[in-house]
Short mmCIF file of all heavy atoms in Angstrom, two decimals:
data_model
loop_
_atom_site.label_atom_id
_atom_site.label_comp_id
_atom_site.label_asym_id
_atom_site.label_seq_id
_atom_site.Cartn_x
_atom_site.Cartn_y
_atom_site.Cartn_z
N VAL V 1 0.80 -1.22 -0.03
CA VAL V 1 -0.11 0.00 0.01
C VAL V 1 0.83 1.23 0.01
O VAL V 1 0.41 2.22 -0.51
CB VAL V 1 -0.96 0.03 1.14
CG1 VAL V 1 -2.02 -0.92 0.89
CG2 VAL V 1 -0.43 -0.17 2.52
N GLN V 2 2.03 1.28 0.48
CA GLN V 2 2.71 2.50 0.55
C GLN V 2 4.25 2.10 0.88
O GLN V 2 4.60 1.24 1.63
CB GLN V 2 2.29 3.40 1.66
CG GLN V 2 2.91 4.81 1.79
CD GLN V 2 2.35 5.65 2.79
OE1 GLN V 2 1.37 5.22 3.43
NE2 GLN V 2 2.84 6.83 2.89
N GLU V 3 5.11 2.95 0.26
CA GLU V 3 6.69 2.78 0.32
C GLU V 3 7.14 4.06 1.13
O GLU V 3 6.54 5.14 0.78
CB GLU V 3 7.20 2.63 -1.07
CG GLU V 3 8.63 2.27 -1.11
CD GLU V 3 9.22 2.13 -2.29
OE1 GLU V 3 9.41 3.18 -3.07
OE2 GLU V 3 9.39 0.96 -2.81
N SER V 4 8.08 3.85 1.93
CA SER V 4 8.55 5.11 2.75
C SER V 4 9.27 5.89 1.70
O SER V 4 9.71 5.43 0.62
CB SER V 4 9.43 4.60 3.79
OG SER V 4 10.60 4.14 3.29
N PRO V 5 9.56 7.12 1.95
CA PRO V 5 10.37 7.95 1.02
C PRO V 5 11.71 7.36 0.67
O PRO V 5 12.33 7.68 -0.36
CB PRO V 5 10.50 9.42 1.77
CG PRO V 5 9.35 9.31 2.63
CD PRO V 5 9.15 7.91 3.08
N TRP V 6 12.29 6.69 1.61
CA TRP V 6 13.57 6.03 1.23
C TRP V 6 13.61 4.70 0.66
O TRP V 6 14.48 4.04 0.57
CB TRP V 6 14.52 6.03 2.54
CG TRP V 6 14.58 7.51 3.03
CD1 TRP V 6 15.54 8.40 2.67
CD2 TRP V 6 13.72 8.13 3.94
NE1 TRP V 6 15.42 9.58 3.29
CE2 TRP V 6 14.29 9.40 4.18
CE3 TRP V 6 12.68 7.69 4.77
CZ2 TRP V 6 13.62 10.35 5.14
CZ3 TRP V 6 12.16 8.66 5.67
CH2 TRP V 6 12.71 9.96 5.78
N GLY V 7 12.30 4.20 0.60
CA GLY V 7 12.11 2.82 -0.07
C GLY V 7 12.12 1.72 0.86
O GLY V 7 11.78 0.61 0.54
N ASP V 8 12.34 1.89 2.23
CA ASP V 8 12.33 0.84 3.27
C ASP V 8 11.97 1.49 4.47
O ASP V 8 12.57 2.39 4.92
CB ASP V 8 13.69 0.17 3.31
CG ASP V 8 13.73 -1.09 3.79
OD1 ASP V 8 12.72 -1.72 3.99
OD2 ASP V 8 14.89 -1.63 4.12
N PRO V 9 11.03 1.17 5.16
CA PRO V 9 10.08 -0.18 5.05
C PRO V 9 9.00 0.22 3.95
O PRO V 9 8.70 1.22 3.56
CB PRO V 9 9.57 -0.40 6.34
CG PRO V 9 9.42 0.87 7.00
CD PRO V 9 10.63 1.80 6.50
N VAL V 10 8.27 -0.79 3.82
CA VAL V 10 7.04 -0.85 2.86
C VAL V 10 5.94 -1.19 3.75
O VAL V 10 5.96 -2.24 4.56
CB VAL V 10 7.16 -1.73 1.77
CG1 VAL V 10 5.90 -1.87 0.84
CG2 VAL V 10 8.41 -1.30 0.86
N ALA V 11 4.67 -0.57 3.63
CA ALA V 11 3.43 -0.97 4.26
C ALA V 11 2.63 -1.87 3.48
O ALA V 11 2.47 -1.63 2.24
CB ALA V 11 2.66 0.31 4.58
N TYR V 12 2.17 -2.92 4.14
CA TYR V 12 1.41 -4.00 3.36
C TYR V 12 0.10 -4.17 4.07
O TYR V 12 0.01 -4.17 5.41
CB TYR V 12 2.10 -5.32 3.40
CG TYR V 12 3.41 -5.32 2.67
CD1 TYR V 12 4.57 -5.18 3.37
CD2 TYR V 12 3.52 -5.43 1.34
CE1 TYR V 12 5.84 -5.12 2.83
CE2 TYR V 12 4.79 -5.37 0.69
CZ TYR V 12 5.95 -5.18 1.41
OH TYR V 12 7.14 -5.21 0.79
N ALA V 13 -1.02 -4.21 3.36
CA ALA V 13 -2.38 -4.59 3.87
C ALA V 13 -2.43 -6.13 3.96
O ALA V 13 -2.23 -6.72 2.84
CB ALA V 13 -3.38 -4.02 3.05
N VAL V 14 -2.85 -6.70 5.07
CA VAL V 14 -2.84 -8.02 5.30
C VAL V 14 -3.80 -8.28 6.54
O VAL V 14 -3.68 -7.63 7.53
CB VAL V 14 -1.54 -8.76 5.47
CG1 VAL V 14 -0.85 -8.30 6.81
CG2 VAL V 14 -1.57 -10.25 5.57
N CYS V 15 -4.91 -9.11 6.33
CA CYS V 15 -5.81 -9.58 7.33
C CYS V 15 -6.42 -8.34 7.99
O CYS V 15 -6.59 -8.19 9.26
CB CYS V 15 -5.16 -10.41 8.34
SG CYS V 15 -4.72 -11.98 7.75
N GLY V 16 -6.90 -7.33 7.20
CA GLY V 16 -7.39 -6.12 7.80
C GLY V 16 -6.68 -5.07 8.58
O GLY V 16 -7.15 -4.25 9.24
N ALA V 17 -5.24 -5.33 8.42
CA ALA V 17 -4.47 -4.39 9.16
C ALA V 17 -3.31 -3.99 8.11
O ALA V 17 -3.14 -4.54 7.15
CB ALA V 17 -3.67 -5.10 10.29
N VAL V 18 -2.60 -2.83 8.48
CA VAL V 18 -1.55 -2.38 7.64
C VAL V 18 -0.29 -2.67 8.48
O VAL V 18 -0.11 -2.14 9.65
CB VAL V 18 -1.65 -0.97 7.23
CG1 VAL V 18 -0.45 -0.36 6.47
CG2 VAL V 18 -2.95 -0.72 6.40
N ILE V 19 0.61 -3.48 7.84
CA ILE V 19 1.86 -3.73 8.56
C ILE V 19 3.17 -3.28 7.90
O ILE V 19 3.21 -3.40 6.58
CB ILE V 19 2.08 -5.30 8.73
CG1 ILE V 19 0.75 -5.93 9.31
CG2 ILE V 19 3.33 -5.72 9.36
CD1 ILE V 19 0.53 -5.69 10.76
N ALA V 20 3.98 -2.61 8.47
CA ALA V 20 5.28 -2.06 7.89
C ALA V 20 6.34 -3.12 7.97
O ALA V 20 6.59 -3.58 9.03
CB ALA V 20 5.76 -0.80 8.43
N LEU V 21 6.98 -3.60 6.94
CA LEU V 21 8.11 -4.58 7.00
C LEU V 21 9.25 -3.92 6.36
O LEU V 21 9.22 -3.37 5.34
CB LEU V 21 7.67 -5.82 6.29
CG LEU V 21 6.64 -6.83 6.95
CD1 LEU V 21 6.53 -8.01 6.04
CD2 LEU V 21 7.11 -7.20 8.24
N ARG V 22 10.49 -4.31 6.80
CA ARG V 22 11.67 -3.98 6.13
C ARG V 22 11.72 -4.89 5.01
O ARG V 22 11.32 -6.05 4.93
CB ARG V 22 12.90 -4.29 6.93
CG ARG V 22 13.09 -3.27 8.13
CD ARG V 22 14.28 -3.54 8.98
NE ARG V 22 14.00 -3.47 10.30
CZ ARG V 22 13.86 -4.46 11.23
NH1 ARG V 22 14.33 -5.74 10.83
NH2 ARG V 22 13.57 -4.16 12.36
N ARG V 23 12.45 -4.46 3.81
CA ARG V 23 12.59 -5.30 2.72
C ARG V 23 13.33 -6.65 3.01
O ARG V 23 13.02 -7.66 2.43
CB ARG V 23 13.20 -4.51 1.56
CG ARG V 23 12.38 -3.49 1.00
CD ARG V 23 12.89 -2.90 -0.32
NE ARG V 23 12.09 -1.89 -0.83
CZ ARG V 23 11.04 -1.97 -1.60
NH1 ARG V 23 10.75 -3.21 -2.02
NH2 ARG V 23 10.39 -0.98 -2.01
N SER V 24 14.18 -6.61 3.96
CA SER V 24 14.90 -7.86 4.29
C SER V 24 13.94 -8.85 5.00
O SER V 24 14.19 -10.12 4.69
CB SER V 24 16.15 -7.60 5.17
OG SER V 24 15.58 -7.02 6.40
N ASP V 25 12.89 -8.44 5.60
CA ASP V 25 11.93 -9.31 6.21
C ASP V 25 11.00 -9.81 5.13
O ASP V 25 10.65 -10.96 5.06
CB ASP V 25 11.13 -8.62 7.44
CG ASP V 25 12.01 -8.49 8.53
OD1 ASP V 25 12.95 -9.25 8.75
OD2 ASP V 25 11.74 -7.50 9.25
N ALA V 26 10.56 -8.78 4.22
CA ALA V 26 9.59 -9.10 3.11
C ALA V 26 10.24 -10.11 2.22
O ALA V 26 9.57 -10.93 1.50
CB ALA V 26 9.29 -7.79 2.58
N ARG V 27 11.52 -10.12 2.02
CA ARG V 27 12.21 -11.03 1.19
C ARG V 27 12.07 -12.40 1.55
O ARG V 27 12.23 -13.35 0.74
CB ARG V 27 13.72 -10.64 1.01
CG ARG V 27 14.48 -11.30 -0.15
CD ARG V 27 15.84 -10.65 -0.14
NE ARG V 27 15.79 -9.21 -0.48
CZ ARG V 27 16.35 -8.35 0.22
NH1 ARG V 27 16.84 -8.48 1.45
NH2 ARG V 27 16.17 -7.04 -0.03
N GLN V 28 11.60 -12.74 2.73
CA GLN V 28 11.53 -14.08 3.38
C GLN V 28 10.11 -14.62 3.05
O GLN V 28 9.79 -15.76 3.54
CB GLN V 28 11.76 -14.06 4.81
CG GLN V 28 13.38 -13.75 5.02
CD GLN V 28 13.66 -13.69 6.52
OE1 GLN V 28 14.01 -14.71 7.06
NE2 GLN V 28 13.37 -12.39 7.12
N ILE V 29 9.22 -13.75 2.43
CA ILE V 29 7.82 -14.23 2.17
C ILE V 29 7.75 -14.50 0.66
O ILE V 29 7.87 -13.56 -0.21
CB ILE V 29 6.91 -13.14 2.69
CG1 ILE V 29 7.12 -12.89 4.18
CG2 ILE V 29 5.35 -13.52 2.33
CD1 ILE V 29 6.37 -11.71 4.73
N SER V 30 7.33 -15.66 0.31
CA SER V 30 7.19 -16.04 -1.13
C SER V 30 5.73 -15.65 -1.53
O SER V 30 4.80 -15.91 -0.62
CB SER V 30 7.35 -17.46 -1.41
OG SER V 30 8.70 -17.89 -1.04
N ILE V 31 5.49 -15.13 -2.73
CA ILE V 31 4.20 -14.83 -3.12
C ILE V 31 3.97 -15.13 -4.45
O ILE V 31 4.88 -15.51 -5.32
CB ILE V 31 4.05 -13.20 -3.07
CG1 ILE V 31 4.96 -12.57 -3.80
CG2 ILE V 31 3.84 -12.80 -1.75
CD1 ILE V 31 4.62 -11.03 -4.11
N GLN V 32 2.72 -15.29 -4.90
CA GLN V 32 2.23 -15.53 -6.33
C GLN V 32 1.43 -14.28 -6.75
O GLN V 32 0.36 -14.03 -6.03
CB GLN V 32 1.50 -16.87 -6.38
CG GLN V 32 1.19 -17.29 -7.86
CD GLN V 32 0.63 -18.67 -7.88
OE1 GLN V 32 0.14 -19.18 -6.97
NE2 GLN V 32 0.83 -19.30 -9.04
#
């Protein structure tokens, strides 16, 4: 949903909430 001005972290909408994750953490989640 939103990227910080510096590109890290990124906000993700999941299960009705918005969660900010560092790209290093997001890299551990596989998606399709």
Side-chain angles (χ1 to χ4, degrees):
V1 292
Q2 186 176 2
E3 186 176 76
S4 74
W6 301 276
D8 201 17
V10 176
Y12 299 97
V14 61
C15 291
V18 176
I19 307 292
L21 287 182
R22 287 183 227 112
R23 288 191 183 273
S24 60
D25 292 329
R27 194 171 295 120
Q28 300 177 88
I29 302 171
S30 300
I31 59 169
Q32 187 168 26

